[in-house]
């Protein structure tokens, strides 16, 4: 039996948690077939991506790119027993969401339904928005169960009617934060339709011992503090707030900031850094594979992530980079935003400030920057908490059981 997995794009450097999960499911004996809505845009890949054995099929990213393939699939789909039901559901969705995106998802679903391997036991989608739409329509066409893993943007930026209907039709779903779980459970026809399942980390991807770090305090201009952030340059990550905070740091505190991540907002961030006179103290590394990110964790003194609520409602879930930084022995400064307080215990395993508060972020960075002993204490407690409560193994075992059961809980 093969489980079909639908993802937005493959491979993606910013979605290490998906690669970790899929490799873990294969290690637990599942046969997967991966279907991607988009072609890759990152130039590099993680070692995890290369460990996946599953075949990868790219659905037509735009229907006009492969008209013959789409036409053939629609012809086959019309002959399937679920055609009338799937078409009716899609037309009802289209009446409430008159976008090209909604049309494209039905075409992609027809291709998926036509090309599923024999013996497919169910369809499993990562993200509750467009990948789940494709999974849902294809499952209706083929009469298969479907399920989902919900994360952050997909929970908070799609309309309530769409969440309710998907939750009513999906066999089951999982989500990676208590905040998201409470929201989805309230919308589901039965609360236990959705299970809380933290991604966690597989610790064998990280060094067994925490790297030794010099007790820098920002007082030596020839050996400045190394501040690190990892995240895409998008509004919800708050890196414009990071720049404002860095500009507020006292003149006597010597630092440099390393930013790792791609994103559409990089050009604007670089321009703002130039305007603030910070450019010569910032290294923009762009998107990087996991081994490079781990090396930067080892070289840094302090990790910070100023997550906030975006204007369209998008927000972080529980950023894996915070767990990665802590397991690498870094103290973290983050915000009281989304599910971050589920991981970071304020004053015990890290420092939290209000989202969007550049002054408070600057104060936290300056205080920790000058205090190597507090950094060491927070890092030790944070690493211990992650290793004790946020390992990936138990969640992967549970998920593998759900998928192996053919979608039956």
């Amino acid at each position: 039996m093969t489980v079909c997995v639908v993802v937005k794009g493959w491979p993606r450097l910013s979605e290490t948690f998906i690669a970790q999960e899929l490799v873990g499911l294969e290690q637990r004996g599942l046969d997967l077939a991966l279907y991607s809505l988009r072609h890759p845009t990152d130039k590099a890949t993680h070692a995890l991506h290369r460990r996946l054995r599953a075949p990868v099929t790219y659905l037509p990213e735009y229907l006009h790119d492969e008209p013959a393939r789409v036409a053939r699939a629609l012809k086959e789909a019309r002959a399937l027993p679920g055609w009338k039901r799937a078409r009716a559901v899609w037309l009802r969705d289209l009446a409430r969401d008159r976008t090209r995106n909604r049309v494209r998802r039905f075409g992609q679903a027809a291709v998926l339904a036509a090309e599923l391997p024999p013996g497919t036991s169910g369809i499993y989608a990562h993200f509750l928005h467009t990948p789940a739409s494709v999974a849902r329509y294809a499952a209706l066409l083929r009469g298969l169960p479907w399920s989902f893993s919900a994360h952050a943007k997909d929970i908070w930026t799609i309309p309530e009617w769409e969440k309710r209907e998907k939750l009513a039709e999906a066999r089951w779903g999982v989500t990676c934060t208590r905040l998201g779980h409470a929201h989805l459970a309230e919308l589901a026809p039965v609360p236990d339709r959705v299970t809380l399942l933290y991604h966690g980390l597989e610790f064998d991807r990280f060094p067994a011992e925490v790297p030794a770090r010099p007790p820098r305090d920002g007082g030596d201009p020839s050996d400045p503090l190394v501040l690190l952030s990892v995240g895409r340059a998008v509004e919800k990550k708050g890196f414009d707030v990071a720049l404002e905070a860095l500009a507020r740091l006292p003149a006597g505190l010597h630092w440099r900031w390393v930013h790792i991540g791609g994103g559409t907002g990089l050009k604007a961030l670089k321009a703002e850094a130039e305007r603030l006179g910070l450019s010569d103290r910032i290294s923009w590394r762009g998107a990087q594979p996991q081994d490079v990110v781990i090396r930067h964790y080892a070289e840094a003194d302090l990790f910070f992530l100023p997550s906030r609520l975006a204007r369209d409602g998008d927000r972080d879930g529980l950023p894996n980079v915070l767990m990665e930084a802590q397991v690498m022995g870094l103290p973290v400064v983050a915000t009281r935003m989304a599910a971050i307080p589920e991981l970071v215990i304020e004053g015990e395993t890290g420092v939290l400030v209000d989202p969007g508060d550049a002054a408070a972020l600057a104060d936290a960075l300056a205080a920790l920057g000058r205090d190597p002993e507090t950094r060491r204490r927070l890092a030790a407690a944070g690493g211990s908490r992650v290793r004790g409560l946020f390992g990936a193994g138990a969640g992967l075992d549970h998920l593998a059981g759900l998928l192996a059961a053919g979608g039956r809980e």
Side-chain angles (χ1 to χ4, degrees):
M1 302 295 286
T2 300
V3 177
C4 164
V5 181
V6 180
V7 296
K8 287 191 300 182
W10 181 269
R12 281 187 163 186
L13 289 175
S14 62
E15 294 175 356
T16 313
F17 62 95
I18 295 179
Q20 173 184 268
E21 177 189 287
L22 299 183
V23 171
L25 291 173
E26 286 189 334
Q27 290 172 339
R28 285 157 176 79
L30 270 71
D31 289 324
L32 307 178
L34 192 59
Y35 288 80
S36 176
L37 306 186
R38 298 176 184 170
H39 291 270
T41 56
D42 295 323
K43 295 179 181 179
T45 60
H46 295 310
L48 269 173
H49 293 130
R50 297 187 289 275
R51 289 170 57 189
L52 189 73
R53 300 189 305 272
V56 181
T57 300
Y58 291 95
L59 298 173
E61 190 163 342
Y62 297 96
L63 302 185
H64 62 258
D65 290 342
E66 300 182 72
R69 185 183 179 194
V70 174
R72 183 169 59 250
L74 285 168
K75 181 179 179 181
E76 292 184 26
R78 289 188 183 95
L80 294 172
W83 168 258
K84 289 185 178 179
R85 170 66 177 154
R87 184 174 180 273
V89 168
W90 169 65
L91 287 174
R92 188 177 66 209
D93 292 349
L94 183 63
R96 294 171 289 187
D97 176 30
R98 293 185 174 277
T99 62
R100 292 182 178 180
N101 178 66
R102 186 66 63 175
V103 175
R104 182 161 63 247
R105 299 316 167 202
F106 191 73
Q108 290 176 317
V111 175
L112 175 60
E115 297 181 6
L116 281 177
T120 297
S121 61
I123 304 175
Y124 170 60
H126 259 288
F127 294 101
L128 191 55
H129 51 2
T130 47
S133 294
V134 173
R136 178 192 184 199
Y137 300 144
L140 287 169
L141 287 168
R142 291 290 297 264
L144 290 170
W146 71 277
S147 53
F148 65 86
S149 181
H151 304 292
K153 180 177 182 178
D154 53 319
I155 296 175
W156 304 111
T157 62
I158 63 174
E160 185 173 304
W161 65 261
E162 184 167 1
K163 285 181 277 195
R164 286 187 183 277
E165 292 179 13
K166 286 176 174 175
L167 286 162
E169 291 185 18
R171 187 64 58 89
W172 52 264
V174 298
T175 191
C176 53
T177 68
R178 284 201 303 267
L179 184 69
H181 176 260
H183 177 72
L184 294 178
E186 184 178 358
L187 297 177
V190 288
D192 61 1
R193 182 67 52 88
V194 186
T195 301
L196 172 62
L197 211 64
Y198 289 116
H199 298 304
L201 297 180
E202 289 198 309
F203 301 122
D204 60 2
R205 292 193 286 115
F206 299 88
E209 295 185 5
V210 171
R213 290 182 170 84
R216 297 187 181 104
D217 62 5
D220 184 352
S222 66
D223 189 23
L225 282 163
V226 180
L227 311 176
L228 175 66
S229 300
V230 180
R232 290 176 298 124
V234 294
E235 185 181 4
K236 69 178 178 181
K237 297 296 182 181
F239 290 127
D240 56 335
V241 180
L243 290 174
E244 185 181 346
L246 293 172
R248 290 171 174 264
L249 290 177
L253 185 73
H254 302 283
W255 55 270
R256 65 184 181 90
W257 181 42
V258 178
H259 174 270
I260 297 176
T264 55
L266 269 179
K267 184 177 180 181
L269 288 177
K270 291 177 181 179
E272 180 64 6
E274 182 72 27
R275 186 187 73 80
L276 292 169
L278 302 175
S279 294
D280 60 346
R281 305 173 82 171
I282 299 175
S283 298
W284 304 98
R285 299 298 188 191
Q288 295 291 339
Q290 182 86 87
D291 59 330
V292 175
V293 177
I294 288 174
R295 189 177 75 237
H296 280 287
Y297 286 140
E299 295 171 351
D301 298 304
L302 175 60
F303 185 91
F304 75 100
L305 188 68
S307 305
R308 65 173 177 180
L309 182 67
R311 283 166 291 185
D312 65 356
D314 192 13
R315 67 201 76 178
D316 270 330
L318 201 171
N320 273 30
V321 293
L322 287 170
M323 288 186 276
E324 293 174 357
Q326 288 183 307
V327 85
M328 285 294 294
L330 275 174
V332 299
V333 176
T335 55
R336 302 179 187 97
M337 182 68 214
I340 291 171
E342 296 177 34
L343 171 69
V344 180
I345 307 301
E346 195 161 352
E348 296 181 19
T349 68
V351 174
L352 297 179
V353 300
D354 287 335
D357 191 338
L361 179 58
D363 289 345
L365 294 176
L368 280 181
R370 291 177 169 135
D371 190 347
E373 178 53 31
T374 297
R375 296 203 306 268
R376 186 204 62 76
R377 176 179 60 81
L378 293 174
S384 178
R385 177 173 166 79
V386 170
R387 288 189 177 274
L389 298 177
F390 291 91
L396 283 169
D397 290 344
H398 182 79
L399 185 59
L402 288 174
L403 291 168
R408 296 184 299 277
E409 289 183 292

